[in-house]
Amino acid sequence: MSQVEVDGTKPGSGASFSSAARAAVDALLGPVDAELARRYPGDSGARQPVHTVYVPADVFAADTVSSWGRQALEAFDTHAGTSAELARALGVPDDDLLADVHARVRAKLEREPVEDLRIDFEDGYGPRPDAEEDAAAVRAAELIGAAVADGSAPPYIGIRIKCMEAAVRSRGIRTLELFLATLIAGGGLPEGLVLTLPKVTYAEQVTALVRLLEDFERRAGLPAGRIGFEIQIETTQAILGADGRATVARMIEAAEGRATGLHYGTFDYSASCGVSAAYQSMDHPVADHAKAVMQVAAAGTGVRLSDGSTNVVPTGPTEQVHAAWKLHHDLVRRSLARAYYQGWDMHPAHLPTRYVAVYSFYREGLAAAAARLSAYVAKAGGDVMDEPATAKALSGYLLRGLDCGAVDPAEVTRLTGLDRKQLDALAGR
């Protein structure tokens, strides 16, 4: 048989798809194409911070970022002044990689100790008289405006308001209104503005914030959709609804394109599952389950993920600091391996191990990732046959390393032959 036959019919003798069939397929899948593009636009290409620092609104001051940097450097120099001391603290080899990371982390703490700062009007602030919280909301906006103007603000900064539950809803809305209005009056919304909505249990609470922001944008003359927000996952209802569906997926949909991130709340979520205080941790099985659901729900939507925090503070004598640092370092590394590239830091002394873990993660895999990506682009094969999805992941890995300062543009270009624009294209940004 010289030609392939299908159901006994030779190609060229009527064995083809009709134009009507093709048109029917396009008509059938056209709405699906549009829905895929709307729901799963992919990564925005914007920088994702490696952490979020939370400070109570009454503690926030003009020098908060620089103060955290000074305290972090003091802890680093006191308890890990050399790479050998750092190696002992973390239980890792004192090699050239660690020596390089040690120097880079110290420079990072001097240059940009905080990548994302959230001024907390929720748990860290608590209930206050209305006049006091009003004043704090205005003050926070004024300080942020001044920091953005003089260049001292971190790349991302904003507030966490009280949740949308009935008892505190009006207070949270009032704080948000004052905060945004003061920013507008002072010169406009910062490019890196971030809002956080905590303790979300129903998708309708997300919709409520969307409606408020729509109204504010319209009245302030802002472009529609200008203000986005993070959704904090702190309750079991945010993961599994009473109807058996994954509520977090419905929350992303309810945000109507405004959701920028999902943040896991370690202690509130663990407590809502009945986990005893001594066992509430980022690596508890209930945490892994919740984060796995969050991860699948957010995949492809452009919504970023953030892990939670540890409440073990690195203070006291060196032995105690080292124990807390090892715990924090190992938890951060665990999150990175599970594709949670952001987390919370609750104390200045957490910053050294945040950056040590992050920088080691990106530097130790730099050569291998660059070689695989270079081989893929050159179609050179190699030991691993990579596909476009893997090239996308490799490019994303290098881009995240560049964004936080773990790797340098020149060395990435030297190792891959690619510039930032080409990496962005491969990563689908």
Side-chain angles (χ1 to χ4, degrees):
M1 186 178 297
S2 60
Q3 298 185 52
V4 176
E5 293 188 7
V6 181
D7 295 332
T9 306
K10 294 182 179 180
S13 60
S16 62
F17 297 122
S18 69
S19 58
R22 291 173 182 268
V25 167
D26 286 339
L28 174 68
L29 296 183
V32 174
D33 296 337
E35 187 76 346
L36 282 170
R38 182 182 71 82
R39 288 180 183 268
Y40 303 104
D43 193 88
S44 69
R47 172 183 178 180
Q48 181 178 13
V50 302
H51 69 171
T52 300
V53 164
Y54 280 78
V55 296
D58 57 327
V59 173
F60 177 58
D63 67 343
T64 291
V65 171
S66 60
S67 175
W68 271 61
R70 287 193 301 272
Q71 293 178 69
L73 272 172
E74 182 180 356
F76 197 47
D77 290 342
T78 299
H79 303 291
T82 66
S83 62
E85 290 178 285
L86 182 60
R88 285 196 297 274
L90 304 181
V92 299
D94 180 22
D95 53 15
D96 290 343
L97 171 66
L98 190 66
D100 183 30
V101 167
H102 187 279
R104 287 174 178 270
V105 168
R106 198 178 192 290
K108 174 73 169 182
L109 294 175
E110 290 178 329
R111 180 183 73 253
E112 188 184 64
V114 175
E115 292 193 358
D116 183 22
L117 177 65
R118 204 70 69 253
I119 303 158
D120 190 16
F121 284 88
E122 203 230 356
D123 284 349
Y125 185 70
R128 305 290 179 103
D130 282 340
E132 182 177 342
E133 184 160 340
D134 284 354
V138 171
R139 176 176 168 274
E142 291 174 344
L143 288 174
I144 287 175
V148 170
D150 67 21
S152 63
Y156 297 94
I157 191 168
I159 64 171
R160 177 168 72 171
I161 62 173
K162 290 177 171 63
C163 71
M164 284 291 174
E165 293 177 359
V168 294
R169 181 164 59 238
S170 293
R171 180 61 263 179
I173 293 171
R174 171 67 174 166
T175 296
L176 179 60
E177 177 185 43
L178 286 169
F179 176 75
L180 293 175
T182 303
L183 284 175
I184 293 290
L189 303 182
E191 186 65 29
L193 176 68
V194 188
L195 306 175
T196 305
L197 179 65
K199 293 183 177 60
V200 184
T201 53
Y202 281 78
E204 289 80 2
Q205 294 167 331
V206 174
T207 301
L209 183 54
V210 170
R211 298 293 169 259
L212 287 169
L213 295 176
E214 285 176 340
D215 181 70
F216 185 89
E217 289 167 349
R218 186 168 53 250
R219 292 166 65 86
L222 296 172
R226 166 64 180 85
I227 308 172
F229 57 91
E230 303 166 333
I231 301 169
Q232 206 151 14
I233 306 302
E234 301 177 274
T235 68
T236 56
Q237 295 92 339
I239 295 298
L240 187 67
D243 57 3
R245 292 191 291 176
T247 319
V248 65
R250 296 183 60 226
M251 290 175 179
I252 293 173
E253 176 70 8
E256 300 178 17
R258 292 178 186 266
T260 58
L262 299 176
H263 282 231
Y264 176 68
T266 304
F267 304 105
D268 282 281
Y269 188 86
S270 298
S272 73
C273 288
V275 178
S276 299
Y279 298 97
Q280 293 175 1
S281 175
M282 294 157 59
D283 59 357
H284 192 282
V286 303
D288 285 341
H289 171 260
K291 288 181 285 188
V293 174
M294 293 164 60
Q295 192 168 43
V296 174
T301 65
V303 177
R304 264 79 179 271
L305 301 170
S306 176
D307 210 334
S309 63
T310 175
N311 59 0
V312 180
V313 178
T315 57
T318 294
E319 182 179 354
Q320 185 173 319
V321 171
H322 282 184
W325 272 354
K326 178 168 175 48
L327 172 66
H328 185 237
H329 172 270
D330 291 351
L331 286 171
V332 174
R333 281 301 304 250
R334 185 179 190 274
S335 297
L336 290 168
R338 285 158 174 76
Y340 267 73
Y341 301 113
Q342 186 175 352
W344 301 359
D345 287 324
M346 310 301 288
H347 190 275
H350 281 140
L351 301 186
T353 36
R354 168 67 61 182
Y355 291 121
V356 169
V358 169
Y359 278 31
S360 297
F361 178 78
Y362 290 118
R363 293 208 63 78
E364 68 190 20
L366 172 61
R372 286 179 66 178
L373 189 60
S374 180
Y376 171 83
V377 172
K379 306 298 182 185
D383 297 331
V384 181
M385 298 297 290
D386 285 324
E387 297 186 355
T390 306
K392 182 177 181 178
L394 291 166
S395 300
Y397 172 83
L398 296 174
L399 287 166
R400 285 189 293 272
L402 285 166
D403 285 341
C404 70
V407 299
D408 303 322
E411 63 180 335
V412 172
T413 299
R414 174 175 55 82
L415 291 168
T416 64
L418 304 170
D419 59 21
R420 176 72 190 233
K421 185 176 180 179
Q422 291 168 309
L423 288 173
D424 282 332
L426 284 167
R429 295 185 175 185

